[in-house]
Amino acid sequence: MENKQFKGHVIVLPYPSQGHINPLLQFAKRLASKGVKATLATTRYTVGSICAPRIGVEAISDGFDEGGFSQAGNVEFYLKSFREQGSRTLSRLINKFKHTATPVTCVVYDSFLPWALDVAKQQGIYGASFFTNSASVCSIFSRIHHGRLSLPLTPETTPLMLPGLPPLNFRDLPTFLRFPDSYPAYLAMKLSQFSNLNQADWVFDNTFEDLEGKEAKGVSELWQAKMIGPMVPSAYLDERIKGDRGYGSSLWKPLSEECMEWLETKASQSVVYISFGSMVSLTEEEMEEIAGGLKESDLHYLWIVRESEQKKLPGWFLDLNKDKGMVVTWCNQLEMLSHPAVGCFVTHCGWNSTLEGLSLGVPMIGVPKWADQLTDAKFVEEVWEIGVRAKEDGGGVVRKKELIKCFKEVMEGERSKEIKRNANKWKELAKKAISEGGGSDECINDFVQHLIDIVKPIN
Ligand code: UDP
C-alpha cells in the first residue's frame, strides 16, 4: 500500500519531555491521517512511552539511554550530549530508510533542536521547524535573537510594547528574560531556535489564526510560521481521526479510570481540576496554601501531584474527607477536562495545558511558575478572557485567600458567566481551525501537497 500511494515520509522529532512529545506526536498523527508516512523518533529513554497506532516509532539517542535528562543531571551537559548523539543517531535513522520504498522526505524537528535541520540538510532532505510555544512568546524571543530587543528587561523598561502584542508588564514576561542568569542554558536554547531558521523549508507553530494571527503578523518580518494548531487529539475537536482520544504518550502511569469513576459521582461543573504539568515543582509552602484554599472553599477537587512531589503535601490534607477530593500522581488530562463535572482548571499555563483548557472550553485559574507560563497566563486573563491569573504575594506565593477569591470569580457570579461565554467561543474557534477547511487544516494540507510534489518525480 505504501508503495502505491507514497505521499512522502516524515520523521517527527520532539524534545523528549511530555509537553513537547504531545504536540509533535499529535502532528505526526495528523500527517498520517492524511496519508503521509509518519515516524516519531524519540530518545531510547522515552521511546517506550509512545503508543500510537498508524505511526512508526524509532529510537535515537541523547547519550543517556537509561535515565534521560535526570541521568545527565545538568541542562548544559544534557543539551550538548543530545546535540552530538542525536545528530549521529538521527542521521543513522534517515540512512536506514534510504534504499527502501519509503525514504525519508522531511524531518519535522522540535525548534529546541536546531541541529536536526543541519542533519536533514547534510542528508539532502527537507527540514521543518515546529515551535511548541505561543506565537507571542516566539515573537519576543525572535526579537532578542535578531537584536531588536535587548536584555536585561527590567521593571523600569516595561511595559514592553511590541507590534501585535498587548503591553507586557514585567510580571508577564518569560522568567528566562526577567532573570536571564537564572537558567542561562535554557535561555541560550530558546534563542538558538532562530539560529538557522532561515534555512528551514517550513516553520510551524502550535497555535491558530483566530487565536494569535495578529501577534504572528506583528513579527512576520523576523519569524514566519504556519499556524497548524491546536495540536489536541481529534476526538475533542474535529473527530476526523478515529479513536484519537489521547496523545499516545505518557511518561507516567495514568490513573484515569479511578478519576473518571470519582468524577461520575459529582455534579456538573462542581469540581476544580488542578495540575502543574510535567515539570513545575512547588514548595511545601505553596502546596500548603493550595491545600488550605481547597479546604476552605469547600469545593470538590482533583489534584494531580506527581509521585516526586507527593512528600510535600501537608499531612492534614491527606486525612481530609475522601469524598471531597482526590489526589493522584498522573492522569489523561484531556479526559478529565472534558468531563462535565469539571468546572475550573487551576493550571500552571504550560502552552499545551493552556491550549487544552481553551479547546475544551474550561474556565481557567492561571498560577504560572516559570518559563513562558507567565506570558500565557496574561493572555488567558486579559486577551482571551477565559480565566483569571492568581496574584502572588511579595514572596511569589499565591496565598489561599487569593485562590478562594479566584474560585469565586471563575465558578460563581457575573464574571464567571462572561468567562464561560468566552470559553465556549474559543472552544468553537479552536474546533473550526483544525476542522476541514479551517486555517490550520489548510496549512497542514499545503504541507502535505508539497510533500506529494516532492516525491512525484521518484514515483
Ligand atoms: N498532562 C497529562 N496528565 C497529567 C498532567 C498533564 O497528560 O496528569 C499532560 C497535559 O495534557 C499536557 C502536558 O502533560 O499535554 C503538559 O504540557 P504543558 O505544556 O502544559 O506543561 P509542561 O509539562 O511542559 O510544563
Side-chain angles (χ1 to χ4, degrees):
M1 197 182 102
E2 273 164 353
N3 263 338
K4 249 190 268 157
Q5 289 207 321
F6 183 51
K7 292 184 173 180
H9 181 180
V10 172
I11 286 186
V12 178
L13 176 71
Y15 181 83
S17 71
Q18 193 74 73
H20 286 249
I21 294 173
N22 286 0
L24 277 120
L25 181 52
Q26 194 56 36
F27 191 57
K29 287 190 279 170
R30 274 281 160 199
L31 294 176
S33 77
K34 291 176 187 286
V36 174
K37 179 176 166 70
T39 299
L40 188 97
T42 190
T43 56
R44 292 202 182 105
Y45 181 62
T46 55
V47 77
S49 77
I50 314 291
C51 174
R54 293 187 288 269
I55 66 150
V57 182
E58 296 278 350
I60 60 158
S61 181
D62 54 8
F64 300 99
D65 296 344
E66 276 80 49
F69 179 77
S70 334
Q71 193 188 343
N74 163 317
V75 189
E76 222 163 354
F77 187 42
Y78 179 74
L79 294 175
K80 184 169 176 285
S81 168
F82 197 7
R83 190 173 60 238
E84 288 165 7
Q85 302 303 321
S87 297
R88 192 177 54 78
T89 49
L90 175 63
S91 207
R92 207 161 61 193
L93 180 60
I94 296 168
N95 279 331
K96 181 177 136 177
F97 288 103
K98 218 159 216 168
H99 301 292
T100 67
T102 57
V104 180
T105 328
C106 179
V107 176
V108 175
Y109 64 94
D110 194 309
S111 59
F112 278 16
L113 312 173
W115 48 259
L117 180 60
D118 303 334
V119 173
K121 294 290 152 188
Q122 281 152 19
Q123 291 275 358
I125 59 173
Y126 291 85
S129 185
F130 187 108
F131 284 75
T132 60
N133 306 133
S134 73
S136 305
V137 164
C138 293
S139 166
I140 305 172
F141 281 98
S142 70
R143 275 170 202 288
I144 296 170
H145 171 78
H146 287 284
R148 305 277 179 97
L149 183 65
S150 323
L151 293 177
L153 299 166
T154 61
E156 290 70 39
T157 56
T158 49
L160 194 60
M161 308 293 275
L162 300 177
L165 268 67
L168 296 170
N169 296 312
F170 193 61
R171 75 190 286 260
D172 306 325
L173 296 175
T175 48
F176 303 152
L177 303 181
R178 290 173 55 164
F179 311 109
D181 297 333
S182 61
Y183 290 94
Y186 278 138
L187 174 58
M189 180 173 72
K190 296 281 282 186
L191 295 174
S192 79
Q193 297 177 106
F194 305 94
S195 61
N196 57 358
L197 200 63
N198 57 349
Q199 291 161 46
D201 299 289
W202 294 274
V203 181
F204 300 118
D205 187 22
N206 187 14
T207 186
F208 56 99
E209 175 72 33
D210 280 326
L211 191 68
E212 289 196 291
K214 187 156 63 80
E215 289 76 4
K217 194 158 174 241
V219 71
S220 56
E221 84 279 14
L222 299 178
W223 177 81
Q224 272 194 15
K226 302 264 179 228
M227 291 180 263
I228 47 74
M231 277 300 122
V232 165
S234 175
Y236 306 95
L237 295 165
D238 61 320
E239 298 179 63
R240 285 188 294 163
I241 307 179
K242 225 171 135 232
D244 187 32
R245 293 198 62 76
Y247 286 103
S249 155
S250 210
L251 296 179
W252 295 275
K253 187 178 167 352
L255 301 166
S256 307
E257 222 165 278
E258 51 195 277
C259 297
M260 292 299 271
E261 271 171 27
W262 181 83
L263 282 175
E264 286 302 319
T265 66
K266 301 294 170 269
S268 170
Q269 303 194 350
S270 67
V271 176
V272 179
Y273 171 80
I274 309 157
S275 168
F276 285 84
S278 63
M279 293 174 90
V280 164
S281 173
L282 298 178
T283 62
E284 278 184 24
E285 190 184 9
E286 287 170 319
M287 291 264 206
E288 175 89 32
E289 293 295 328
I290 295 173
L294 290 170
K295 180 167 184 258
E296 281 183 36
S297 70
D298 207 30
L299 287 161
H300 292 298
Y301 58 85
L302 172 56
W303 187 0
I304 311 303
V305 183
R306 298 189 312 276
E307 184 83 54
S308 56
E309 297 287 289
Q310 293 249 344
K311 55 184 179 296
K312 294 186 232 161
L313 282 165
W316 61 261
F317 182 72
L318 294 171
D319 298 334
L320 279 186
N321 182 355
K322 296 284 178 285
D323 180 59
K324 220 51 229 166
M326 262 187 103
V327 177
V328 299
T329 47
W330 198 249
C331 68
N332 177 342
Q333 179 157 296
L334 288 159
E335 280 182 36
M336 306 308 130
L337 291 177
S338 63
H339 196 285
V342 171
C344 162
F345 179 15
V346 176
T347 170
H348 67 308
C349 293
W351 186 236
N352 296 288
S353 293
T354 303
L355 281 179
E356 290 162 14
L358 183 136
S359 300
L360 274 67
V362 187
M364 295 186 242
I365 297 175
V367 184
K369 296 313 300 176
W370 77 314
D372 308 332
Q373 297 156 14
L374 294 83
T375 317
D376 301 342
K378 156 103 174 174
F379 278 75
V380 164
E381 180 176 63
E382 293 180 27
V383 180
W384 308 315
E385 300 183 89
I386 50 176
V388 298
R389 174 178 171 180
K391 290 187 183 57
E392 301 108 30
D393 70 0
V397 178
V398 171
R399 297 290 168 195
K400 64 179 178 185
K401 237 174 97 189
E402 170 67 12
L403 257 188
I404 295 167
K405 190 178 128 237
C406 291
F407 289 143
K408 290 213 165 92
E409 233 175 313
V410 167
M411 297 182 83
E412 302 166 17
E414 277 315 299
R415 176 104 175 92
S416 84
K417 285 188 199 144
E418 200 185 314
I419 289 175
K420 275 184 197 133
R421 264 198 306 276
N422 291 332
N424 279 329
K425 179 188 94 176
W426 283 109
K427 177 181 169 175
E428 290 310 315
L429 289 170
K431 193 184 282 188
K432 192 177 114 199
I434 201 73
S435 295
E436 193 163 358
S440 298
D441 190 52
E442 291 287 298
C443 284
I444 301 172
N445 287 344
D446 275 357
F447 177 52
V448 171
Q449 189 54 50
H450 274 290
L451 294 174
I452 294 171
D453 293 344
I454 292 162
V455 296
K456 255 185 201 153
I458 7 177
N459 274 350

